[in-house]
Amino acid sequence: MQFELDITKRLRSGGEEFLLRSRFSTTDRALVLFGPSGSGKTLTLRAIAGMLKPDEGYIKLNGNVVFDSAKGINVPTRDRNVGYVFQDYALFPHQTVRQNVGFGLKPLFGKLHPADAERVEELIQVFGLASVASKKPVALSGGQQQRTALARALATSPNLLLLDEPFSALDQPLRLRMRDELASALENFNIPLIMVTHDSDEVESFAETIVVYRDGSVTDVHSAREISDSGLSLTETLRKQVALAYQ
Protein backbone atom coordinates (compact mmCIF):
# COMPACT_ATOMS: atom_id res chain seq x y z
CA MET A 1 0.00 0.00 0.00
CA GLN A 2 1.24 3.47 -0.89
CA PHE A 3 -0.27 6.03 1.43
CA GLU A 4 0.48 9.72 1.84
CA LEU A 5 -1.38 12.30 3.92
CA ASP A 6 -0.76 15.91 4.84
CA ILE A 7 -3.87 17.68 6.18
CA THR A 8 -5.00 20.43 8.51
CA LYS A 9 -8.46 20.78 10.04
CA ARG A 10 -9.75 23.32 12.57
CA LEU A 11 -12.78 22.35 14.63
CA ARG A 12 -14.67 24.56 17.09
CA SER A 13 -16.95 23.44 19.90
CA GLY A 14 -18.24 25.43 22.87
CA GLY A 15 -15.90 28.31 22.14
CA GLU A 16 -12.82 26.05 22.07
CA GLU A 17 -10.76 25.21 19.01
CA PHE A 18 -9.09 21.90 18.16
CA LEU A 19 -6.40 21.91 15.48
CA LEU A 20 -5.67 18.66 13.65
CA ARG A 21 -2.29 18.67 11.94
CA SER A 22 -1.65 15.24 10.47
CA ARG A 23 1.23 14.34 8.19
CA PHE A 24 2.81 10.96 7.37
CA SER A 25 3.46 8.47 4.58
CA THR A 26 4.07 4.73 4.35
CA THR A 27 4.31 1.81 1.96
CA ASP A 28 3.46 -0.77 4.65
CA ARG A 29 0.17 -2.70 4.54
CA ALA A 30 -0.74 -2.35 8.20
CA LEU A 31 -0.78 1.15 9.67
CA VAL A 32 -1.87 1.95 13.22
CA LEU A 33 -2.76 5.44 14.46
CA PHE A 34 -1.84 5.37 18.14
CA GLY A 35 -2.30 7.80 21.00
CA PRO A 36 -4.60 8.88 23.83
CA SER A 37 -8.29 9.61 23.33
CA GLY A 38 -8.98 13.00 21.78
CA SER A 39 -5.59 13.28 20.08
CA GLY A 40 -6.91 13.35 16.50
CA LYS A 41 -6.73 9.71 15.41
CA THR A 42 -10.40 9.21 14.53
CA LEU A 43 -10.60 12.60 12.83
CA THR A 44 -7.75 11.50 10.57
CA LEU A 45 -9.49 8.21 9.82
CA ARG A 46 -12.71 10.03 8.93
CA ALA A 47 -10.78 12.34 6.62
CA ILE A 48 -9.26 9.35 4.85
CA ALA A 49 -12.74 7.88 4.38
CA GLY A 50 -14.12 11.16 3.06
CA MET A 51 -16.42 11.73 6.04
CA LEU A 52 -14.49 14.82 7.15
CA LYS A 53 -13.25 17.47 4.73
CA PRO A 54 -9.88 18.94 5.74
CA ASP A 55 -9.31 22.68 5.48
CA GLU A 56 -6.01 22.24 3.70
CA GLY A 57 -3.72 19.54 2.34
CA TYR A 58 -3.94 16.31 0.40
CA ILE A 59 -4.58 12.57 0.77
CA LYS A 60 -3.22 9.94 -1.64
CA LEU A 61 -4.22 6.27 -1.66
CA ASN A 62 -2.02 4.01 -3.81
CA GLY A 63 -0.97 6.99 -5.88
CA ASN A 64 -4.54 8.19 -6.41
CA VAL A 65 -5.36 11.65 -5.09
CA VAL A 66 -8.66 11.47 -3.18
CA PHE A 67 -8.33 14.93 -1.63
CA ASP A 68 -6.34 17.99 -2.59
CA SER A 69 -7.50 21.40 -1.38
CA ALA A 70 -5.22 23.29 -3.76
CA LYS A 71 -6.61 21.45 -6.81
CA GLY A 72 -10.21 21.36 -5.61
CA ILE A 73 -10.28 17.55 -5.47
CA ASN A 74 -12.53 15.82 -2.91
CA VAL A 75 -13.54 12.32 -4.04
CA PRO A 76 -16.86 11.27 -2.40
CA THR A 77 -16.75 8.53 0.22
CA ARG A 78 -18.65 6.10 -2.00
CA ASP A 79 -15.96 6.42 -4.70
CA ARG A 80 -12.89 5.99 -2.49
CA ASN A 81 -13.37 2.21 -2.30
CA VAL A 82 -12.60 1.93 1.41
CA GLY A 83 -14.32 -0.19 4.04
CA TYR A 84 -15.00 1.39 7.43
CA VAL A 85 -15.70 -0.35 10.75
CA PHE A 86 -16.96 2.15 13.33
CA GLN A 87 -16.11 1.98 17.01
CA ASP A 88 -19.75 1.15 17.88
CA TYR A 89 -20.12 -0.90 14.64
CA ALA A 90 -23.04 1.33 13.45
CA LEU A 91 -25.17 -1.61 12.33
CA PHE A 92 -28.63 -0.78 11.03
CA PRO A 93 -30.96 -1.87 13.87
CA HIS A 94 -33.98 -2.53 11.62
CA GLN A 95 -32.03 -4.82 9.29
CA THR A 96 -30.96 -8.43 9.73
CA VAL A 97 -27.35 -9.57 9.69
CA ARG A 98 -27.77 -10.63 6.05
CA GLN A 99 -29.23 -7.25 5.10
CA ASN A 100 -26.50 -5.37 6.96
CA VAL A 101 -23.75 -7.34 5.23
CA GLY A 102 -25.29 -6.72 1.82
CA PHE A 103 -26.11 -3.06 2.37
CA GLY A 104 -23.25 -1.65 0.30
CA LEU A 105 -24.01 -3.99 -2.60
CA LYS A 106 -27.73 -3.39 -2.84
CA PRO A 107 -29.00 -1.03 -5.56
CA LEU A 108 -31.25 1.85 -4.52
CA PHE A 109 -34.23 -0.01 -5.92
CA GLY A 110 -34.59 -3.74 -6.43
CA LYS A 111 -32.82 -6.83 -5.17
CA LEU A 112 -29.20 -7.83 -4.95
CA HIS A 113 -27.63 -9.12 -8.13
CA PRO A 114 -27.23 -12.94 -7.86
CA ALA A 115 -23.44 -12.63 -7.77
CA ASP A 116 -23.66 -10.06 -4.94
CA ALA A 117 -26.14 -12.23 -3.03
CA GLU A 118 -23.65 -15.08 -3.32
CA ARG A 119 -20.89 -12.78 -2.03
CA VAL A 120 -23.01 -11.97 1.02
CA GLU A 121 -23.61 -15.65 1.77
CA GLU A 122 -19.90 -16.40 1.43
CA LEU A 123 -19.04 -13.69 3.95
CA ILE A 124 -21.71 -14.92 6.34
CA GLN A 125 -20.09 -18.35 6.23
CA VAL A 126 -16.53 -17.02 6.53
CA PHE A 127 -17.39 -15.01 9.64
CA GLY A 128 -19.47 -17.73 11.28
CA LEU A 129 -22.74 -15.82 11.10
CA ALA A 130 -24.97 -18.43 9.44
CA SER A 131 -26.89 -19.21 12.63
CA VAL A 132 -27.75 -15.53 13.20
CA ALA A 133 -28.08 -14.35 9.57
CA SER A 134 -31.81 -13.68 9.98
CA LYS A 135 -31.47 -11.91 13.33
CA LYS A 136 -31.26 -8.19 13.99
CA PRO A 137 -28.33 -6.54 15.82
CA VAL A 138 -30.15 -6.32 19.16
CA ALA A 139 -30.13 -10.12 19.34
CA LEU A 140 -26.38 -10.45 18.67
CA SER A 141 -23.44 -10.75 21.04
CA GLY A 142 -20.64 -8.18 20.90
CA GLY A 143 -18.46 -10.54 18.89
CA GLN A 144 -21.25 -11.27 16.43
CA GLN A 145 -21.89 -7.56 15.97
CA GLN A 146 -18.22 -6.95 15.26
CA ARG A 147 -18.05 -9.80 12.73
CA THR A 148 -21.18 -8.45 11.02
CA ALA A 149 -19.64 -4.98 10.78
CA LEU A 150 -16.41 -6.41 9.40
CA ALA A 151 -18.26 -8.56 6.85
CA ARG A 152 -20.25 -5.49 5.75
CA ALA A 153 -17.05 -3.47 5.33
CA LEU A 154 -15.47 -6.21 3.21
CA ALA A 155 -18.53 -6.96 1.07
CA THR A 156 -17.68 -4.36 -1.56
CA SER A 157 -14.10 -5.69 -1.90
CA PRO A 158 -12.47 -2.42 -0.77
CA ASN A 159 -8.86 -1.53 -1.50
CA LEU A 160 -8.36 -0.40 2.09
CA LEU A 161 -9.96 -1.27 5.44
CA LEU A 162 -10.34 1.43 8.10
CA LEU A 163 -10.90 0.30 11.70
CA ASP A 164 -11.81 2.72 14.49
CA GLU A 165 -10.92 1.08 17.81
CA PRO A 166 -12.65 -2.16 16.74
CA PHE A 167 -12.19 -3.93 20.09
CA SER A 168 -13.04 -1.16 22.56
CA ALA A 169 -16.66 -2.30 23.01
CA LEU A 170 -15.65 -5.88 23.91
CA ASP A 171 -14.71 -7.35 27.27
CA GLN A 172 -11.14 -8.61 27.70
CA PRO A 173 -11.59 -12.36 26.96
CA LEU A 174 -13.66 -11.63 23.85
CA ARG A 175 -11.25 -8.89 22.80
CA LEU A 176 -8.36 -11.36 22.71
CA ARG A 177 -10.35 -13.87 20.66
CA MET A 178 -11.56 -11.25 18.21
CA ARG A 179 -8.01 -10.00 17.64
CA ASP A 180 -7.10 -13.47 16.44
CA GLU A 181 -10.21 -13.66 14.26
CA LEU A 182 -9.52 -10.27 12.71
CA ALA A 183 -5.88 -11.15 12.02
CA SER A 184 -7.01 -14.34 10.30
CA ALA A 185 -9.63 -12.50 8.24
CA LEU A 186 -7.15 -9.86 7.10
CA GLU A 187 -4.72 -12.55 6.02
CA ASN A 188 -7.44 -14.41 4.10
CA PHE A 189 -8.67 -11.27 2.33
CA ASN A 190 -5.16 -9.87 1.83
CA ILE A 191 -6.30 -6.28 2.41
CA PRO A 192 -4.31 -3.30 3.73
CA LEU A 193 -5.59 -1.64 6.89
CA ILE A 194 -5.41 1.53 8.91
CA MET A 195 -6.44 1.04 12.53
CA VAL A 196 -7.07 3.57 15.29
CA THR A 197 -6.25 2.46 18.84
CA HIS A 198 -4.81 3.57 22.15
CA ASP A 199 -4.06 -0.04 23.19
CA SER A 200 -0.38 -1.00 22.83
CA ASP A 201 -1.30 -4.72 22.67
CA GLU A 202 -3.33 -4.07 19.54
CA VAL A 203 -0.41 -2.19 18.04
CA GLU A 204 1.83 -5.20 18.64
CA SER A 205 -0.76 -7.51 17.06
CA PHE A 206 -1.30 -5.58 13.84
CA ALA A 207 1.10 -2.71 13.16
CA GLU A 208 3.88 -2.52 10.61
CA THR A 209 3.97 1.28 10.87
CA ILE A 210 2.86 3.19 13.98
CA VAL A 211 1.85 6.86 13.76
CA VAL A 212 1.84 8.46 17.21
CA TYR A 213 -0.58 11.33 17.96
CA ARG A 214 -0.61 13.92 20.69
CA ASP A 215 -2.82 17.00 21.01
CA GLY A 216 -3.95 16.84 17.40
CA SER A 217 -0.53 16.40 15.83
CA VAL A 218 1.67 13.54 14.68
CA THR A 219 4.66 13.41 17.02
CA ASP A 220 6.43 10.29 15.75
CA VAL A 221 6.27 7.62 13.08
CA HIS A 222 7.78 4.23 13.95
CA SER A 223 8.52 1.07 12.01
CA ALA A 224 7.61 -1.97 14.12
CA ARG A 225 10.24 -3.97 12.24
CA GLU A 226 13.00 -1.45 12.92
CA ILE A 227 12.14 -1.28 16.62
CA SER A 228 12.24 -5.07 16.84
CA ASP A 229 15.50 -5.32 14.87
CA SER A 230 17.12 -2.78 17.19
CA GLY A 231 16.37 -4.98 20.18
CA LEU A 232 14.00 -2.48 21.76
CA SER A 233 10.58 -3.37 23.14
CA LEU A 234 7.71 -2.04 21.04
CA THR A 235 5.42 -1.99 24.07
CA GLU A 236 7.93 -0.04 26.15
CA THR A 237 8.57 2.40 23.31
CA LEU A 238 4.86 3.11 23.01
CA ARG A 239 4.39 3.42 26.76
CA LYS A 240 7.00 6.16 26.79
CA GLN A 241 5.12 7.91 23.99
CA VAL A 242 1.87 7.76 25.98
CA ALA A 243 3.61 9.07 29.10
CA LEU A 244 4.78 12.12 27.14
CA ALA A 245 1.18 12.86 26.19
CA TYR A 246 0.22 13.37 29.83
CA GLN A 247 3.15 15.56 30.86
Side-chain angles (χ1 to χ4, degrees):
M1 177 180 74
Q2 293 181 326
F3 183 82
E4 190 175 352
L5 176 147
D6 186 349
I7 58 172
T8 300
K9 178 69 176 180
R10 291 173 176 82
L11 297 161
R12 291 178 176 83
S13 176
E16 295 187 1
E17 181 179 274
F18 179 85
L19 175 62
L20 174 68
R21 184 69 181 90
S22 188
R23 180 181 181 183
F24 56 86
S25 62
T26 185
T27 57
D28 284 334
R29 292 178 58 81
L31 176 67
V32 172
L33 311 185
F34 176 79
S37 297
S39 57
K41 308 182 302 297
T42 294
L43 290 176
T44 300
L45 203 70
R46 289 173 61 84
I48 295 167
M51 300 174 186
L52 177 74
K53 183 181 178 181
D55 296 327
E56 301 172 349
Y58 63 85
I59 303 171
K60 298 179 182 179
L61 302 178
N62 284 327
N64 298 314
V65 178
V66 297
F67 177 80
D68 190 318
S69 60
K71 297 179 180 178
I73 298 172
N74 187 22
V75 176
T77 299
R78 63 182 178 275
D79 296 327
R80 295 195 183 191
N81 199 23
V82 298
Y84 198 112
V85 177
F86 295 86
Q87 185 174 351
D88 61 357
Y89 311 135
L91 299 175
F92 300 111
H94 62 287
Q95 294 187 347
T96 66
V97 167
R98 181 175 285 108
Q99 290 169 330
N100 266 282
V101 174
F103 178 81
L105 298 172
K106 191 177 183 300
L108 185 59
F109 301 103
K111 297 181 179 181
L112 283 174
H113 186 278
D116 291 334
E118 183 177 348
R119 168 77 171 168
V120 170
E121 295 307 316
E122 288 175 354
L123 287 166
I124 285 173
Q125 292 296 328
V126 167
F127 286 98
L129 296 166
S131 64
V132 295
S134 298
K135 294 184 178 181
K136 295 182 179 179
V138 69
L140 305 180
S141 67
Q144 290 167 337
Q145 289 183 28
Q146 189 198 56
R147 290 198 297 270
T148 301
L150 185 56
R152 182 179 64 184
L154 293 171
T156 57
S157 301
N159 292 328
L160 175 66
L161 183 63
L162 306 176
L163 304 169
D164 187 4
E165 301 203 32
F167 308 107
S168 62
L170 307 177
D171 59 32
Q172 186 66 15
L174 183 56
R175 186 180 304 176
L176 295 174
R177 194 182 85 200
M178 292 307 298
R179 276 184 202 158
D180 292 339
E181 289 193 12
L182 176 58
S184 178
L186 292 172
E187 184 175 352
N188 289 337
F189 285 91
N190 191 30
I191 182 171
L193 75 88
I194 300 178
M195 177 189 289
V196 163
T197 186
H198 57 261
D199 187 325
S200 59
D201 290 338
E202 292 170 15
V203 177
E204 284 200 88
S205 297
F206 295 98
E208 294 178 11
T209 293
I210 307 104
V211 180
V212 181
Y213 280 77
R214 185 172 71 198
D215 298 330
S217 298
V218 173
T219 58
D220 277 296
V221 179
H222 298 289
S223 164
R225 186 182 302 108
E226 290 178 1
I227 291 176
S228 177
D229 290 346
S230 69
L232 297 174
S233 164
L234 178 58
T235 298
E236 187 58 32
T237 299
L238 295 176
R239 283 176 179 167
K240 290 178 180 178
Q241 295 284 349
V242 171
L244 289 172
Y246 292 100
Q247 288 184 352

